[in-house]
């Protein structure tokens, strides 16, 4: 059997590290019965195409980041709400791996698209890499921010007054270089491997915003698997949670050191708590928009996650 697995990222990325280890474990445990073929970013089109190819059964599985799949499955956009996560990444990881309401609500929404939710995991803290200093919402006025093409990501920057420009991942570097956009948001490892640091001057940590991805599968394919293979998948995805948590932490740390070395004049800013609070005030209309887009199941999910992350009213 061959299981084809799609990635939204290039070789060396968090998704690549994940897929290679997943392949190794599945092939070893299935004793040669299953081969996992990995398709890196770019080999099968843009990120959105991977979801379509998985619904069609061309791919059996793919990564689907919440900012990418959010226009198709609005419920997934809950993780694009700024400041939804906890400060404690171990707690964040466990909610993403086990929360019952999360798997129920998102699982049901995906089934409507012939897709099946396999897992969620974190890829790192979101960092704004920009050409001007941004420390208060007003600094976004007239700022041309590249966004992933999902309504809530667009909303989450337009509420600050930014001009939002949706662009595929592969076009972000060129757009920064040609001065078509003023900045973008991604984890450190991505800013290093996509070379965004070469064409931006500031790296700004807004706090408590995480790049979140999922692995989804073709539902008909999954249902056709033997009981033994379903267990193999369930156990492997569960084991991968701790593996990737440590790997993404280490990779983001290592790539930050590299950026500091390659670009000594980069300015690094972490928003203070007071600065974060000024941005956090805008979460209210963003949350309302989420509920508008994701309806009653979304509202239930938002409530469950606020509880799980220990967010106060
Ligand atoms: O910014 C993006 O579009 C992409 N960023 C990452 C880190 N992974 C995939 C996603 O498409």
């Amino acid at each position: 059997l061959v299981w084809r697995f799609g990635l939204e990222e290039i070789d060396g990325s968090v998704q690549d590290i994940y897929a290679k280890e997943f392949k190794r474990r599945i092939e070893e445990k299935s004793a040669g019965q299953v081969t996992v073929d990995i398709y890196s970013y770019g080999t099968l089109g843009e990120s959105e195409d991977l979801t379509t190819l998985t619904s069609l059964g061309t791919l059996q599985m793919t990564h689907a980041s919440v900012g990418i799949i959010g226009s198709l499955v609005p419920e997934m956009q809950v993780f694009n709400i700024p400041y939804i996560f906890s400060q404690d990444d171990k707690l964040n990881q466990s909610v993403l791996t086990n929360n019952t309401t999360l798997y129920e609500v998102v699982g049901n929404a995906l089934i409507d698209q012939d897709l099946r939710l396999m897992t969620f995991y974190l890829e790192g803290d979101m960092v704004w890499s920009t050409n001007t200093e941004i420390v208060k919402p007003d600094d976004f006025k007239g700022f041309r921010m590249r966004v992933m093409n999902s309504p809530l990501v667009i909303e989450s920057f337009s509420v600050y007054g930014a001009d939002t420009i949706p662009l595929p991942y592969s076009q972000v570097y060129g757009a920064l270089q040609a001065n078509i956009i003023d900045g973008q948001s991604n984890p450190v490892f991505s800013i290093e491997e996509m070379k965004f640091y070469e064409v931006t001057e500031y790296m700004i940590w807004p706090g408590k915003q995480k790049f979140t991805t999922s692995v989804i599968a073709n539902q008909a394919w999954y249902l056709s698997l033997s009981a033994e293979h379903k267990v193999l998948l369930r156990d492997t995805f569960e084991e991968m949670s701790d593996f990737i948590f440590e790997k993404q932490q280490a990779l983001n740390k290592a790539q930050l050191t590299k950026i500091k070395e390659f670009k000594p004049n980069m300015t690094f800013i972490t928003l203070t708590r007071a600065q974060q609070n000024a941005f956090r005030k805008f979460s209210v209309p963003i949350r309302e928009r989420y509920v508008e887009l994701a309806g009653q199941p979304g509202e239930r999910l938002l409530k469950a996650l606020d509880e799980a992350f220990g967010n106060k009213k």
Side-chain angles (χ1 to χ4, degrees):
L1 296 176
V2 176
W3 295 353
R4 288 182 292 273
F5 190 7
L7 311 187
E8 305 166 313
E9 295 166 5
I10 62 174
D11 289 358
S13 62
V14 172
Q15 291 186 6
D16 181 52
I17 293 172
Y18 188 100
K20 285 191 173 130
E21 180 64 13
F22 177 83
K23 173 183 167 70
R24 193 189 68 72
R25 293 184 188 206
I26 293 281
E27 291 180 357
E28 190 181 291
K29 287 193 274 183
S30 74
Q33 263 186 34
V34 178
T35 305
V36 177
D37 282 351
I38 300 170
Y39 291 83
S40 289
Y41 180 57
T43 52
L44 290 173
E46 284 303 338
S47 312
E48 285 86 353
D49 301 325
L50 298 172
T51 306
T52 313
L53 291 172
T54 306
S55 324
L56 293 172
T58 309
L59 288 171
Q60 278 68 49
M61 281 171 281
T62 186
H63 277 87
S65 295
V66 299
I68 297 290
I69 196 176
S71 43
L72 188 70
V73 185
E75 290 86 344
M76 301 271 266
Q77 300 181 97
V78 73
F79 298 115
N80 295 131
I81 297 174
Y83 305 104
I84 176 129
F85 282 101
S86 153
Q87 197 70 48
D88 174 358
D89 263 341
K90 271 287 179 194
L91 174 63
N92 294 332
Q93 180 207 3
S94 99
V95 170
L96 287 177
T97 313
N98 301 312
N99 186 273
T100 322
T101 313
L102 173 62
Y103 281 80
E104 194 186 305
V105 169
V106 175
N108 285 339
L110 282 166
I111 284 175
D112 292 342
Q113 308 289 337
D114 304 319
L115 296 166
R116 185 177 191 91
L117 176 61
M118 308 309 278
T119 196
F120 274 108
Y121 69 89
L122 294 175
E123 296 196 30
D125 287 337
M126 279 302 223
V127 180
W128 301 335
S129 73
T130 66
N131 280 322
T132 54
E133 185 179 277
I134 301 220
V135 292
K136 54 183 187 305
D138 242 23
D139 294 336
F140 269 118
K141 292 254 151 69
F143 184 96
R144 295 163 305 169
M145 185 69 169
R146 176 269 172 170
V147 286
M148 286 180 275
N149 190 17
S150 155
L152 213 74
V153 181
I154 296 173
E155 177 83 8
S156 71
F157 287 101
S158 54
V159 284
Y160 307 140
D163 294 337
T164 49
I165 306 194
L167 276 178
Y169 196 36
S170 59
Q171 291 180 27
V172 179
Y173 183 93
L176 284 166
Q177 196 176 34
N179 197 26
I180 293 164
I181 52 173
D182 304 307
Q184 65 88 37
S185 176
N186 256 312
V188 173
F189 82 86
S190 152
I191 294 171
E192 195 283 327
E193 76 185 8
M194 299 302 281
K195 309 292 170 212
F196 300 147
Y197 69 88
E198 291 179 356
V199 281
T200 43
E201 304 305 319
Y202 295 83
M203 282 176 65
I204 303 158
W205 277 255
K208 287 173 61 171
Q209 292 167 47
K210 313 278 166 190
F211 191 96
T212 314
T213 200
S214 71
V215 180
I216 57 175
N218 177 281
Q219 169 73 343
W221 165 79
Y222 177 82
L223 293 176
S224 75
L225 292 174
S226 66
E228 188 198 336
H229 283 160
K230 283 181 184 146
V231 172
L232 169 68
L233 280 170
R234 189 199 60 202
D235 291 352
T236 309
F237 278 116
E238 201 178 301
E239 291 162 20
M240 288 297 294
S241 170
D242 281 340
F243 169 85
I244 200 61
F245 182 76
E246 277 155 32
K247 288 287 177 189
Q248 61 80 20
Q249 259 185 345
L251 183 67
N252 281 307
K253 198 166 162 225
Q255 304 310 64
L256 184 59
T257 309
K258 274 198 200 161
I259 295 174
K260 286 181 174 163
E261 200 178 295
F262 296 155
K263 186 153 178 167
N265 59 348
M266 176 71 88
T267 305
F268 299 95
I269 298 172
T270 301
L271 297 189
T272 64
R273 191 159 286 220
Q275 287 168 332
Q276 287 186 28
N277 281 339
F279 282 100
R280 197 187 314 237
K281 287 198 182 115
F282 288 85
S283 300
V284 177
I286 301 171
R287 283 165 168 265
E288 285 168 2
R289 181 87 180 109
Y290 171 71
V291 172
E292 237 174 78
L293 292 166
Q296 196 265 331
E299 192 169 9
R300 191 157 76 84
L301 175 56
L302 182 55
K303 201 167 155 243
L305 290 178
D306 273 337
E307 229 161 76
F309 291 133
N311 293 334
K312 291 189 204 80
K313 282 269 163 252

